[in-house]
Amino acid sequence: MRQETRVIIVGAGPAGLATSACLNVDNIPNIVLEREDCFASLWKKRAYDRLKLHLAKQFCELPHMPFPPNAPTFVPKHGFIRYLDDYVSKFNIDPLYHRHVSSASFDHNDERWVVVATNTLLGTTEEYVAEFLVVATGENSEGYIPQIPGLDSFEGEVIHSSRYDNGTRFANRDVLVVGSGNSGMEIALDLCNWGARTSLVVRSPVHILNEGMVKLGMELLKYLPLDFVDNLVLMLSKLKYGNNLSDYGIQRPAKGPFFLKRATGRSPVIDVGTVSKIRAGEIEVLPSIKKVMNGDDVQFGDGETKRYDAIVFATGYKSTVRKWLKEDGGLFNEDGMPKQRSPNHWKGENGIYCVGFASAGLFGISNDARAVSRDISAILGHNN
């Protein structure tokens, strides 16, 4: 089967949905290809129950549709899924599911992109052809578990955070959470609340704020210099959590939280109760893992060894672009991330674009989708 259109979008997460919506508003034909059996599969299938958006709702809206006025400031997982359901319905987005893209390349003779996908329901190969290709698989395409000596010999359970829903089945078990970002901190809290004996690996310095501090900082950044906002928010953090959390194994970075978010994409941790559990000794903070040995023992960087029944890796995700994109128009590096930093990251040569690779969350996705749609519309001579 061969199907032609103006724009092919690979991925039906928020990035692909936002791009398709913008193109539909501009009456530009597009096809969305999705390997799973639903859109936003990361949210619907691989997100833990207590997950909430880590930024206030006004910074997480997709193009052309705000959240309902009665939505909470920090929208929970199920509320965001309802928002996406309404978004897909409003903008008539109709992804093709069970399409596993195996290759995408630019035909220099025809000057169009050719995308080959397997229909995993039928076992057939399909070909899609378009003038423009939008890579919307994002930074969170595949869960990442670091290589640790001896991990393959661990006799307990090893899971990535994308496979964690809640801590019910871990009650009264010794569980190690690896990763001190928002997911790691929240999963550690959830495990503790369900009665697991919980340890948390905090390898790198991390800023800890609360929801109010983040919301205040995001609002002030509209009007005030970044350094001023960082200093103010850090002062509030120290008043709330103390001047130094190093006694509990947590170090603050030298640079401010919003500077680091802009420079590296790394978000501050939004505390929802984990710090109080750490201070109370209910969650133990440990340094980096050195190795796994004797079946269920984990040795840490300080030489201490502890036994665990399970390890949860909240160690992030990686791009899978390089597995299928055969020609990238100079857009991506060898790790499947844009060569250029934001805001110049979203456009390559020969009509290829990317959405959701700016390390800027849903806010970045919205900006990317609008930029891509404007550019394609201008090339085609459409009126916005």
Side-chain angles (χ1 to χ4, degrees):
M1 187 202 81
R2 179 184 173 96
Q3 189 169 345
E4 299 185 5
T5 187
R6 288 284 197 180
V7 185
I8 298 169
I9 302 167
V10 181
L17 300 180
T19 306
S20 183
C22 289
L23 293 171
N24 288 346
V25 167
D26 286 342
N27 296 311
I28 299 174
N30 62 90
I31 291 175
V32 183
L33 302 177
E34 169 56 45
R35 66 185 178 186
E36 301 287 346
D37 61 357
C38 63
F39 59 83
S41 63
L42 184 63
W43 283 89
K44 293 186 173 184
K45 294 183 174 184
R46 298 193 294 277
Y48 50 94
D49 293 345
R50 65 173 294 128
L51 177 64
K52 293 193 296 185
L53 296 179
H54 293 136
L55 293 178
K57 61 183 179 181
Q58 61 264 38
F59 301 106
C60 297
E61 295 170 349
L62 297 184
H64 307 298
M65 186 174 134
F67 282 97
N70 63 347
T73 300
F74 292 86
V75 179
K77 165 186 168 180
H78 297 295
F80 185 58
I81 289 172
R82 284 195 299 272
Y83 170 81
L84 292 178
D85 289 341
D86 293 341
Y87 193 81
V88 166
S89 177
K90 178 176 181 177
F91 294 106
N92 299 311
I93 304 168
D94 189 20
L96 299 181
Y97 300 116
H98 302 283
R99 265 57 176 200
H100 187 277
V101 172
S102 57
S103 72
S105 57
F106 186 71
D107 185 332
H108 289 269
N109 292 324
D110 197 27
E111 294 188 339
R112 292 192 295 175
W113 288 91
V114 179
V115 176
V116 178
T118 300
N119 183 324
T120 55
L121 274 183
L122 302 178
T124 56
T125 299
E126 300 170 348
E127 189 174 89
Y128 299 88
V129 181
E131 297 159 65
F132 306 97
L133 173 65
V134 180
V135 180
T137 49
E139 304 158 298
N140 299 335
S141 185
E142 184 175 276
Y144 170 72
I145 294 180
Q147 292 185 345
I148 296 173
L151 181 61
D152 56 354
S153 66
F154 184 70
E155 295 177 355
E157 185 175 358
V158 176
I159 63 170
H160 187 265
S161 59
S162 60
R163 301 299 175 188
Y164 178 92
D165 46 13
N166 60 62
T168 309
R169 61 193 175 90
F170 295 103
N172 299 312
R173 299 174 70 189
D174 295 288
V175 184
L176 176 65
V177 180
V178 182
S180 56
N182 280 292
S183 294
M185 289 284 193
E186 288 190 20
I187 288 172
L189 176 63
D190 191 61
L191 285 164
C192 183
N193 287 341
W194 282 103
R197 294 179 292 275
T198 308
S199 301
L200 174 67
V201 170
V202 179
R203 186 174 60 89
S204 303
V206 60
H207 284 294
I208 298 180
L209 311 176
N210 63 22
E211 292 178 346
M213 295 172 199
V214 173
K215 183 180 179 182
L216 174 65
M218 294 291 288
E219 290 292 343
L220 291 178
L221 283 171
K222 297 177 182 178
Y223 313 104
L224 298 171
L226 185 147
D227 286 348
F228 179 88
V229 176
D230 266 344
N231 288 333
L232 175 62
V233 169
L234 279 174
M235 180 185 70
L236 294 174
S237 177
K238 290 175 182 178
L239 287 172
K240 171 71 175 176
Y241 299 109
N243 191 53
N244 197 339
L245 289 171
S246 61
D247 291 344
Y248 303 96
I250 300 172
Q251 305 288 337
R252 278 195 180 94
K255 299 290 186 179
F258 292 106
F259 173 86
L260 288 176
K261 177 61 178 174
R262 186 171 296 180
T264 70
R266 181 174 173 81
S267 298
V269 167
I270 302 175
D271 178 50
V272 290
T274 310
V275 173
S276 64
K277 295 288 187 182
I278 291 172
R279 282 178 162 158
E282 297 179 51
I283 296 175
E284 182 180 15
V285 174
L286 295 164
S288 60
I289 297 176
K290 184 177 181 181
K291 62 181 177 180
V292 176
M293 56 189 186
N294 303 327
D296 54 10
D297 289 337
V298 177
Q299 186 179 71
F300 297 92
D302 60 0
E304 186 175 7
T305 300
K306 291 181 175 291
R307 188 200 68 81
Y308 292 98
D309 299 304
I311 305 176
V312 181
F313 283 93
T315 44
Y317 295 81
K318 60 183 179 181
S319 167
T320 58
V321 167
R322 282 298 176 199
K323 292 184 177 181
W324 55 270
L325 187 60
K326 307 305 178 185
E327 188 171 350
D328 66 3
L331 190 56
F332 293 98
N333 63 25
E334 59 187 26
D335 294 323
M337 296 295 291
K339 290 180 179 178
Q340 302 295 322
R341 293 194 60 80
S342 177
N344 304 309
H345 62 288
W346 53 272
K347 182 179 181 180
E349 300 171 355
N350 301 321
I352 187 172
Y353 304 88
C354 66
V355 174
F357 288 83
S359 299
L362 293 163
F363 185 75
I365 282 173
S366 292
N367 288 338
D368 289 352
R370 292 178 189 274
V372 168
S373 180
R374 282 196 301 267
D375 197 68
I376 292 175
S377 183
I379 292 171
L380 295 177
H382 286 233
N383 294 319
N384 290 325

